[in-house]
Amino acid sequence: MADQMLAPSQVANTASPARRGRLGLSGKLLLLTILFVMLAAVLIYVPTVANYHRTALNDRLAAAQVAALVIDAAPDGMVPRELEVKLLDQIGAVAVAIKTGERRRLLAATDASPPPAREIDLRTPSWWSSIRDAFGTLVGPQMQMIRAVGSGMDSMDFVEIVLPERPIRVELRQFSLNVLSVTLFISVLTGLLVYLTLHLLIVRPVRRLSDNVSSFAGDPEDARRIITPTGRSDEIGAVETAVADMEKTLAREFREKKHLAALGLAVSKINHDLRNMLASAQLISDRLSQVPDPVTQRFAPKLVSALDRAIAFCQSTLAYGKISEQEPQRERVQLAELVRDIAESLGLDADHPVKLVERIPPAFAISADREHIYRTLLNLMRNAVQALSASERSGGAITIIGWRSSGGAIIDVIDDGPGIDSALQPRLFQAFTATGRPGGVGLGLAIAAELIQLNGGTIVLRETEEGAAFRITLPEG
């Protein structure tokens, strides 16, 4: 596990390339702001110029209708040629015609005018036709005539004029230039305001978070590098609080792991010396086994066996310090015999207040490493004995059940003691999670879980109304 974790310097180096990017968050924000403001300006300009073009033509048609009324009101429709030319100049047209009923009359016209190149009907305009006509005028040929038709007033059905397009084009271009200037000014001002606002509210806090994470990765144990939330009530504030909590947790875990590493080294040294002491005790027990005393002959083998296991346990503890455990040596293990050996080691005889109840079928055997299963059951049964002995009634029973299912061989270890606190259950099989038992350090269940896992099985805590119930499931050989 240690070789899979990144060192703090590696974490900092991993985060640094993102900081060396060509275009940071601020640059992207500025470009997007300019792009969207320009898009909004285009969306505003297109209908505005179309409306201006339609208004300009409607103004000329209105002036043409007034001129038509003046000409039509003249006695016998006789208007001096000079007045016609003056009226047409005021309108900006070369011809004016009206339609009344079935009669269509040309009221005024210059001597010579080219035919109109296109017609613009303003009686029933649509947005699309207005935009098309406006841009046709704005970018069309320089010298051409257009025919504009609009609704009439009073008894007139409609009025139409023929006029050169160039003056309207000049007005449109001037109008476009004015709109562009105003839009550009508003766009720049709006873009800067939006950019500064977003920079202050989002980009700068995010950059502060990014800088803090990079700084914290350089030295997670330095409490001064933990971010201080600004107290904001929005999502940025929630992220700051979450990052601060995460950094506090990581800093605490780094310190704990450092202490555990030092503790592991100390335990390894202690186990090394303890193994030598136990080896000396083993030599003495070997000599005791040669004493011709019946009681000594009865208990000496058990003492030798206990010392052998203690020496093996010290050896395995040293191996655990190297993050390695002995591979299981599978064999057929008689469960009832193994449980009786453990009960004898724990002193569970007839005089003990804690009673052992075996519900193991005859010749029930499991396929596993004998030493691994011995250590696992020893941890579970010792925990149960200590829990029952510490309870108010100072007694109880430990029940061992062996049975088979489709999932494999099942071993249930059940006691009727005070049980395990529900707050500890989610991390019960993690190292140094004490179960509330006086003097416990929280290693027994973690070791048991690892040993069962090495044998391809699982161990879980079952729900019970009282006491604690562990279930071990082992695959069939």
Side-chain angles (χ1 to χ4, degrees):
M1 183 181 298
D3 56 353
Q4 296 176 355
M5 297 179 61
L6 291 175
S9 59
Q10 292 175 311
V11 175
N13 292 336
T14 304
S16 59
R19 298 291 308 279
R20 294 194 293 266
R22 294 183 178 180
L23 191 62
L25 187 59
S26 297
K28 293 177 182 177
L29 176 62
L30 181 59
L31 290 180
L32 289 175
T33 302
I34 294 173
L35 176 63
F36 290 142
V37 170
M38 290 177 63
L39 179 60
V42 170
L43 295 177
I44 294 172
Y45 167 75
V46 170
T48 302
V49 74
N51 183 68
Y52 183 87
H53 180 257
R54 188 170 64 245
T55 301
L57 290 177
N58 280 324
D59 290 345
R60 284 167 171 78
L61 286 170
Q65 292 185 61
V66 173
L69 292 174
V70 172
I71 295 173
D72 196 41
D76 300 326
M78 299 300 294
V79 177
R81 182 62 182 170
E82 293 79 5
L83 180 58
E84 284 188 5
V85 173
K86 188 174 182 180
L87 288 173
L88 291 174
D89 288 340
Q90 290 293 328
I91 299 170
V94 297
V96 176
I98 62 172
K99 183 178 183 295
T100 305
E102 298 297 328
R103 184 183 177 191
R104 187 167 180 268
R105 292 186 297 161
L106 180 63
L107 298 180
T110 56
D111 293 336
S113 61
R118 61 194 181 99
E119 179 180 317
I120 300 176
D121 193 342
L122 299 176
R123 288 173 292 181
T124 56
S126 63
W127 276 109
W128 169 245
S129 62
S130 298
I131 293 172
R132 180 193 61 200
D133 294 335
F135 280 90
T137 300
L138 192 61
V139 299
Q142 292 294 325
M143 303 300 293
Q144 71 174 8
M145 293 291 177
I146 59 172
R147 177 174 174 265
V149 182
S151 301
M153 64 177 62
D154 296 334
S155 60
M156 298 179 189
D157 291 338
F158 64 82
V159 59
E160 57 182 324
I161 58 175
V162 177
L163 70 163
E165 198 172 29
R166 186 175 182 278
I168 300 179
R169 179 183 296 111
V170 172
E171 292 181 23
L172 277 180
R173 289 181 176 177
Q174 183 60 43
F175 174 76
S176 299
L177 183 61
N178 294 337
V179 170
L180 178 63
S181 301
V182 174
T183 303
L184 184 61
F185 173 75
I186 295 175
S187 299
V188 171
L189 180 61
T190 304
L192 287 176
L193 290 176
V194 171
Y195 170 75
L196 290 176
T197 302
L198 293 179
H199 180 79
L200 292 175
L201 294 179
I202 298 178
V203 175
R204 194 165 69 174
V206 170
R207 183 178 295 168
R208 175 173 175 262
L209 285 170
S210 175
D211 292 341
N212 173 262
V213 170
S214 299
S215 174
F216 179 80
D219 187 5
E221 297 182 31
D222 188 356
R224 295 172 299 178
R225 301 195 181 194
I226 297 176
I227 191 171
T228 302
T230 57
R232 293 174 53 161
S233 59
D234 56 5
E235 289 79 359
I236 297 292
V239 172
E240 290 177 342
T241 303
V243 170
D245 294 341
M246 179 192 69
E247 290 178 345
K248 290 177 182 177
T249 302
L250 287 176
R252 182 173 61 253
E253 289 185 356
F254 269 108
R255 289 193 295 269
E256 289 178 356
K257 288 183 182 297
K258 187 175 181 179
H259 294 162
L260 289 177
L263 177 61
L265 179 61
V267 170
S268 297
K269 293 179 179 178
I270 293 172
N271 271 279
H272 183 272
D273 293 338
L274 181 60
R275 183 183 58 178
N276 295 334
M277 298 176 188
L278 290 174
S280 300
Q282 187 181 34
L283 293 175
I284 297 174
S285 65
D286 288 340
R287 297 186 63 180
L288 283 175
S289 62
Q290 300 175 3
V291 176
D293 179 69
V295 177
T296 303
Q297 289 294 324
R298 178 185 173 189
F299 289 105
K302 299 184 182 299
L303 176 61
V304 172
S305 177
L307 289 173
D308 287 341
R309 290 194 183 97
I311 293 173
F313 178 75
C314 291
Q315 187 64 39
S316 64
T317 304
L318 292 174
Y320 186 83
K322 299 176 183 178
I323 318 179
S324 63
E325 185 67 62
Q326 181 182 0
E327 290 296 322
Q329 304 296 322
R330 293 184 177 276
E331 58 180 301
R332 300 298 291 178
V333 180
Q334 297 295 325
L335 183 61
E337 178 185 342
L338 189 67
V339 169
R340 284 192 288 271
D341 287 347
I342 297 173
E344 232 175 48
S345 299
L346 294 175
L348 295 178
D349 51 21
D351 298 329
H352 200 284
V354 177
K355 304 304 178 183
L356 178 64
V357 179
E358 294 183 27
R359 296 180 184 173
I360 304 172
F364 181 84
I366 57 176
S367 176
D369 185 296
R370 180 182 179 86
E371 186 62 26
H372 287 180
I373 301 302
Y374 183 97
R375 289 168 57 189
T376 299
L377 293 178
L378 178 64
N379 279 321
L380 295 177
M381 293 173 64
R382 181 190 290 116
N383 287 347
V385 169
Q386 292 175 346
L388 290 169
S389 300
S391 63
E392 295 179 356
R393 59 181 180 178
S394 299
I398 302 173
T399 303
I400 310 295
I401 306 173
W403 53 287
R404 298 190 188 280
S405 71
S406 58
I410 309 296
I411 305 173
D412 288 332
V413 180
I414 306 170
D415 68 68
D416 54 0
I420 298 174
D421 189 353
S422 58
L424 298 174
Q425 293 180 11
R427 60 180 194 278
L428 187 62
F429 296 101
Q430 297 177 10
F432 299 101
T433 301
T435 58
R437 176 172 48 84
V441 295
L443 276 176
L445 292 179
I447 294 173
E450 182 179 4
L451 293 175
I452 294 299
Q453 185 177 10
L454 281 174
N455 285 270
T458 59
I459 178 171
V460 296
L461 176 69
R462 295 171 50 213
E463 291 186 4
T464 55
E465 294 182 359
E466 63 176 2
F470 290 91
R471 171 163 293 177
I472 300 172
T473 304
L474 293 169
E476 295 290 355

